[in-house]
């Protein structure tokens, strides 16, 4: 299996621009998670889906962030408009709820907003 | 918010020595997991221990869980330079698969 695939791996954009991060989970996994990692705040859960349905988006920082999962093999995290404080590494992870729901992480997207 | 808190924040040891790190958490859990993150990479699952288990082994890894103290420890025996990484504990507070990660312990193993 190819594992969780994220694109792009690196993104540099200017403040105010729209950014779209993409994730392809492992086939057969029915849970998908978006995280953000920074030195200051550590690893934060932004939103997670189960069977393509958003379960908890309480970690999404503000309305500028949105996430979708149109089907079992694709999810996007969009930031519009982007701000310098959004600079971070964004990880997507997938897993199953049973039996022990360990998560499999993608390589991450390093976002820099200037 | 972070559920788990790792201790120490950083650990520097020599190859062949054992590395021990601890994790404390606040609420009841279904299971507790440990992950490793190499620099610039995603997290990799290492080992999971269920709330009704007290100790678990996997290769050079040994995990203990004390639910009465809400704490866990990860022991890496006979460490290698390749074990240099950050180690995170994560707790599963419910059955949805959501995990809450601690801040991590940065381990450096020198040859």
């Amino acid at each position: 299996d190819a594992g969780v695939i994220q694109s792009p791996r690196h993104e540099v954009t200017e403040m105010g621009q729209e950014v779209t991060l993409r994730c392809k989970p492992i086939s057969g996994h029915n849970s998908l998670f978006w995280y953000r990692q920074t030195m200051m705040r550590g690893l934060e859960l932004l939103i997670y889906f189960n069977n393509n349905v958003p379960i908890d988006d309480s970690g999404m920082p503000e309305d500028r962030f949105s996430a979708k999962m149109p089907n079992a093999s694709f999810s996007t995290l969009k930031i519009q408009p982007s701000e310098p404080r959004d600079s971070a590494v964004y990880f997507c992870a997938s897993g199953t709820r049973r039996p022990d729901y360990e998560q499999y992480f993608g390589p991450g997207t390093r976002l820099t907003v200037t | 918010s972070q559920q788990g808190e790792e201790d120490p924040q950083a650990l520097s040891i020599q190859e062949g020595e054992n590395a021990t790190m601890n994790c404390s958490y606040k609420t009841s859990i279904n299971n507790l997991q440990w992950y490793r993150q190499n620099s610039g990479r995603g997290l990799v699952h290492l080992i999971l221990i269920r709330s009704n288990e007290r100790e678990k082994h996997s290769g050079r890894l040994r995990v203990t869980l004390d639910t009465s103290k809400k704490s866990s420890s990860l022991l890496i025996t006979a460490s290698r330079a390749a074990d240099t990484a950050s180690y995170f504990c994560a707790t599963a507070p419910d059955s949805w698969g959501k995990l809450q990660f601690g801040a991590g312990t940065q381990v450096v193993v020198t040859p």
Side-chain angles (χ1 to χ4, degrees):
Chain A
D1 197 316
V4 176
I5 299 173
Q6 290 186 248
S7 65
R9 293 294 310 278
H10 301 274
E11 177 80 33
V12 180
T13 190
E14 291 185 346
M15 182 173 63
Q17 297 297 307
E18 176 179 297
V19 175
T20 299
L21 311 181
R22 297 173 177 79
C23 174
K24 177 179 170 55
I26 292 172
S27 177
H29 284 184
N30 56 6
S31 294
L32 184 139
F33 307 83
W34 281 101
Y35 293 90
R36 177 172 69 176
Q37 187 177 38
T38 62
M39 289 293 292
M40 290 295 293
R41 300 173 69 90
L43 194 64
E44 301 174 278
L45 176 64
L46 301 177
I47 184 172
Y48 66 101
F49 296 83
N50 186 258
N51 292 329
N52 312 337
V53 175
I55 302 301
D56 184 351
D57 66 355
S58 60
M60 296 285 260
E62 48 199 273
D63 292 344
R64 297 185 297 106
F65 286 69
S66 63
K68 294 182 180 179
M69 192 164 186
N71 57 62
S73 59
F74 184 66
S75 177
T76 59
L77 177 67
K78 186 177 293 186
I79 308 172
Q80 166 64 18
S82 58
E83 296 182 3
R85 60 191 167 124
D86 301 330
S87 296
V89 181
Y90 291 81
F91 289 103
C92 174
S94 70
T96 62
R97 286 179 61 194
R98 291 288 183 268
D100 287 319
Y101 36 87
E102 60 192 69
Q103 293 184 15
Y104 296 80
F105 280 72
T109 294
R110 181 172 295 276
L111 173 65
T112 303
V113 183
T114 61
Chain B
S1 63
Q2 292 176 345
Q3 159 79 312
E5 295 293 334
E6 287 92 342
D7 170 57
Q9 291 185 337
L11 184 60
S12 184
I13 56 175
Q14 293 195 322
E15 267 192 327
E17 294 181 338
N18 295 342
T20 300
M21 59 210 85
N22 303 296
C23 170
S24 59
Y25 57 93
K26 298 174 184 173
T27 61
S28 62
I29 60 173
N30 281 295
N31 64 63
L32 186 143
Q33 305 179 28
W34 285 90
Y35 288 76
R36 182 188 73 226
Q37 183 180 32
N38 291 93
S39 180
R41 310 288 287 272
L43 279 73
V44 174
H45 179 266
L46 293 177
I47 193 167
L48 178 151
I49 186 165
R50 298 187 182 90
S51 59
N52 61 353
E53 297 176 314
R54 292 297 168 258
E55 187 171 314
K56 200 162 184 179
H57 296 255
S58 176
R60 294 183 296 111
L61 304 179
R62 173 177 169 259
V63 171
T64 63
L65 179 65
D66 187 334
T67 53
S68 66
K69 295 181 180 178
K70 291 188 169 57
S71 67
S72 173
S73 68
L74 172 67
L75 168 68
I76 306 173
T77 59
S79 62
R80 305 167 182 169
D83 295 328
T84 294
S86 292
Y87 292 81
F88 295 86
C89 69
T91 54
D94 56 33
S95 62
W96 282 105
K98 171 183 175 178
L99 292 177
Q100 294 175 313
F101 286 85
T105 292
Q106 190 171 4
V107 175
V108 175
V109 182
T110 54

